Amino acid sequence: MSARVLTAAVCQLHIREEAASNLERAEAMLCAARDKGAQLALLPEMFMCPYEPEAIRAAAEPENGPTTRRLAALASELGLLVGATVAERSGGGHIYNTGLVFAPNGDLLGRQLKNHLFDVNIPGRVCSEESAVITPGTGVEVFAWQGLSLAVNICFDIRFPAMAREASRRGAHVLCVPAQFSAGTAPDHWELLLRARAVDYQMFVIGANAAYDAKAAYQSWGRSMIVDPWGDVLVRAGAGEEIIIAKLDFARLKRVRQEMPVENNRGSHAQDDGPG
């Protein structure tokens, strides 16, 4: 990592039905994050639409569609590293939940598809079939920029530690987690999972959840946070729409990895990390 410290921001916004309104507010929050000194800013999962099947279908764009192009332009205009996910429709009609990372000159550093889809049916409580809309991806991408290596886990992916393990093995310093993590499970598991991945794989973890909206059909929990490699929460949001900022000190990351040499002692026991 060439820079000792990177200032990271999460733009925790309310995701509403109108895509144009979501994009307008995301732009304003990215501008405000830059004005607060951010060098990297992360938006929640599918920031253009509520996480509902018909909304996702309606929002899906071709690869390098208008939302992707606008994010690239914003990254360039603001001189920011920008991370977000969008619904992308392939030529074959498949829809992917695609994580995008843009360099401050607007170049797309790469794509990470959501690997794990949330399908559950608990009679009388919850029924979700993400796979009815989204096609899963495979594999883990690590994005490099000026000595910084970033990886992306998209929402449900954070429950499968092998993805973070592979990112760490390939040198990732930062794990970005764009999410619409639900109000049903987030009070118990959101912070726990983010801190666990930070400690287990000795990375900064940036969790960008959508803001809580009591009137929404699908309710995200908010409470975005940035966690350091020792598992300390550097900053956390409340439930509503806001921007949080923290400095990522890579000298601390290096010190944690030296003083607690987990990776050097992990050996070949990949099975310890579970499925994923």
Side-chain angles (χ1 to χ4, degrees), residues 140-143 149-153 167 172-177 203:
V140 176
E141 303 296 329
V142 176
F143 311 124
S149 292
L150 303 98
V152 177
N153 280 187
H173 306 107
V174 178
L175 183 65
C176 298
V177 187
M203 295 183 284

Side-chain angles (χ1 to χ4, degrees), residues 50-79:
Y51 213 80
E52 301 163 16
E54 292 310 312
I56 294 170
R57 287 191 183 98
E61 300 177 358
E63 191 173 299
N64 298 316
T67 301
T68 300
R69 295 195 300 272
R70 183 58 189 143
L71 289 170
L74 281 167
S76 178
E77 291 166 15
L78 299 174

Side-chain angles (χ1 to χ4, degrees), residues 34-168:
R34 187 278 313 272
D35 291 345
K36 293 174 181 287
Q39 298 160 285
L40 163 67
L42 186 62
L43 293 164
E45 178 185 24
M46 292 279 191
F47 76 97
M48 289 290 287
C49 67
Y51 213 80
E52 301 163 16
E54 292 310 312
I56 294 170
R57 287 191 183 98
E61 300 177 358
E63 191 173 299
N64 298 316
T67 301
T68 300
R69 295 195 300 272
R70 183 58 189 143
L71 289 170
L74 281 167
S76 178
E77 291 166 15
L78 299 174
L80 268 178
L81 276 164
V82 174
T85 91
V86 299
E88 284 192 332
R89 190 185 300 275
S90 72
H94 295 290
I95 297 174
Y96 297 96
N97 187 340
T98 306
L100 306 170
V101 180
F102 299 90
N105 64 358
D107 287 348
L108 178 62
L109 297 178
R111 285 177 161 82
Q112 171 67 60
L113 302 183
K114 188 172 188 178
N115 281 199
H116 301 92
L117 305 181
F118 185 63
D119 288 355
V120 64
N121 186 358
I122 305 174
R125 290 178 56 195
V126 62
C127 180
S128 173
E129 191 178 1
E130 194 175 2
S131 63
V133 183
I134 303 294
T135 298
T138 58
V140 176
E141 303 296 329
V142 176
F143 311 124
W145 176 76
Q146 294 190 3
L148 172 67
S149 292
L150 303 98
V152 177
N153 280 187
I154 301 172
C155 201
F156 195 45
D157 284 338
I158 196 65
R159 291 187 181 272
F160 298 85
M163 287 189 71
R165 163 77 176 98
E166 176 63 13
S168 173

Side-chain angles (χ1 to χ4, degrees), residues 246-275:
K247 293 187 180 297
L248 313 187
D249 182 348
F250 292 97
R252 176 163 173 75
L253 181 147
K254 183 177 179 181
R255 187 165 61 251
V256 166
R257 291 181 175 182
Q258 287 175 338
E259 295 178 1
M260 184 62 68
V262 172
E263 189 60 31
N264 292 344
N265 289 283
R266 200 182 300 275
S268 61
H269 301 292
Q271 67 270 23
D272 292 345
D273 295 324

